[in-house]
Amino acid sequence: MRPVDIIGVGITNFGKHIETSLVELGGRVAIEAVKDAGIKPSQVNAGFFANMQAASIFTDFTVGQNVLWQAGINRVPVFNTENACTSGSSAFNLAWMGVASGMYDIAIVVGAEKLVVPNLGLMQAGSTELDTLEGLVVPNAFAMRANLHMATYGTTKEQLAMVAVKNRRHAALNPLAQFRTPITVEEVLNAPMIADPLTRLSCCPNADGAAAVILCASEYSTRYTTKPVRVAASVLVTGSYENPCNMAQWDADKRASGIAYEMAGIGPQDLNVVECHDAFTISEIVHYEGIGLCPEGEGGRLVESGATSLGGKIPVNPSGGLLSKGHPVAATAVAQIVEGVRQLRGEAGACQVEGAKVFMAECMGADKAGDVKTCTVNILQN
Amino acid sequence: MRPVDIIGVGITNFGKHIETSLVELGGRVAIEAVKDAGIKPSQVNAGFFANMQAASIFTDFTVGQNVLWQAGINRVPVFNTENACTSGSSAFNLAWMGVASGMYDIAIVVGAEKLVVPNLGLMQAGSTELDTLEGLVVPNAFAMRANLHMATYGTTKEQLAMVAVKNRRHAALNPLAQFRTPITVEEVLNAPMIADPLTRLSCCPNADGAAAVILCASEYSTRYTTKPVRVAASVLVTGSYENPCNMAQWDADKRASGIAYEMAGIGPQDLNVVECHDAFTISEIVHYEGIGLCPEGEGGRLVESGATSLGGKIPVNPSGGLLSKGHPVAATAVAQIVEGVRQLRGEAGACQVEGAKVFMAECMGADKAGDVKTCTVNILQN
């Protein structure tokens, strides 16, 4: 396997795109990424498109071909991929494998999602499953995790809320984020209850959005850009489904990040900036522990210390995270990588982590019971 | 890229599986393939699952993880792939790349589909597209192709019907096929009209079904089996969307098979047996021409000559094809490969092509307008 760089990125704002179709959203970021990479569309050897909800909401299929055609990319292999919240990073992992293997020199990854429609779909994900029919939808499953984490490790409701407050503070600096007005711990705690202890401000909002990256064999990347960003590790694992397990810890995070650290030849202490999958406030805290930013059970105290704020020791979700940007499912994990590229290029604007050299994107796809179906960890390096 | 073999296969009958869930169908073939390969589930390094309709019919997502867990395969990377009728062969192409690249030593591919439900979904595929709303659903698009082929090349309705008759004659020999009672040209012509000139017997029926294959780096395959089957070529291309184009020819077939022949170092004259995507009778005739079994426009006369019947010069769809087996979308292209493995192992029973050494599986995914979104060609060799 040969080294691979990211040479171009594209992203929309996350929010309501009522007048824009899924194909247009995806096409827009594909065009932007091709332009950013300084390549011609005909130089792209393969396309990997990620989407989760188009089939169930719009009965649309094989969307990636239409999306890439908008950018002048056709005839070459195009794959449509779905892997829950890691749909985008799964497409990225496949594209990385394609380029690293020598099969393709240049590949594009596009993640796009339209969620802001009357028939949402997400809350009924897996309606054939008994646990969902009985009420175990996603927020409930994460609320149970939060309660267990509080009971086991002494994490407080205030610490949970601090995740939302921190990420909103970051989002205020990101013009592409959906919600940018700063909030307080009290506001989070007093927001309408969704599933105790998770209030509305503890849960990520819906959004439409799209993001794209272009991967290139490192041996060719400087032909196109003066700022290639190296993919130091790309890892995808599946949940273990093992019982008994500790529902307040994520084994998949530990396995995926462990493999990624080994691939990159680094450890958690070497990270300068992280984007992780903060679908709920509790998620970010458990991810801290899973990827090794702090010992098991210390996640609540880590956010309280300020270490994961911009200006802290290891800023997490400088973009504002899912909690403030929203969660256009298949765009989310690609957007994390776009943020990483901007950080390592020094182009992250007011969200910039000074001198960032090593970035991690963590994303996880869980079912309603909180079982982890997929987990991805990508490390980028300058 | 290193050589890759198929070391195990699994398949269900195609037809109504009312009492069996999608996950059970997929799990069943995964278990069968693992057993057939003589490996332990824990030796599988990655899983590639293909499905098209579960999200729109059942609002199910990330199904592959559940399917493979049935077979004791978890923790390793699992990817869910959709690419219309080539969903299964797209998953196969990715798995092949994964093993050929050295990323994985052993990978499993499962294609599974449940279609036999009241809310079909297929006829409304892409309901946000104007052409579909105006009535250009799949059978209409293929009827237009058939009319153009007849007008351009002198193909007759009787020749179209002969495709259905031949494939039903083959299906009578295949215990896994859905419809096995022989039919006549007159019966095909006199069946209820769907879209002139295509009658009900000219269109593939729906079905539930699943199929699986296990890929292994050739350097290790003889550890597990005495009958490895080599993947001589695996190719996926996307339609060109170019205008003006000849709607009675498939450029994607020509490009994909051309690349595949070059990879395998053979030509169409070297093929012993073919499975191709006979969603409609006209499809098989155009595929003959696209993959080079005969010159452009000669497909109707080729089937009439008997060359593509079992016992003929180059038998096509010895399994009975989609026209007799049915078309459980994402299972179809994997099932083609399973048939190829059985042919090259000499285990195809009454459908066996004597001494078969070189097999091609061709599959195509088209949208309602008959534009080709994806086309796959896989060549297997003994």
Side-chain angles (χ1 to χ4, degrees), chain A residues 52 55-56 58-62 65 74-78 80 82-83 101 126-128 236 238 240 255 373-374, chain B residues 52 55-56 58-62 65 74-78 80 82-83 101 126-128 236 238 240 255 373-374:
Chain A
M52 182 176 176
S56 67
F58 307 110
T59 66
D60 273 342
F61 300 101
T62 323
Q65 282 82 347
N74 62 19
R75 302 170 67 99
V76 299
V78 174
N80 291 274
E82 180 270 315
N83 241 359
S101 70
S127 61
T128 56
L236 187 152
T238 294
S240 65
R255 282 189 288 121
K373 283 192 158 177
T374 71
Chain B
M52 182 177 177
S56 65
F58 307 111
T59 66
D60 273 342
F61 299 100
T62 322
Q65 282 81 346
N74 62 19
R75 300 169 68 98
V76 299
V78 175
N80 292 273
E82 180 269 315
N83 241 358
S101 70
S127 61
T128 56
L236 186 152
T238 294
S240 64
R255 282 189 289 122
K373 283 192 158 178
T374 71

Side-chain angles (χ1 to χ4, degrees), chain A residues 88 298 361:
Chain A
E298 294 296 319

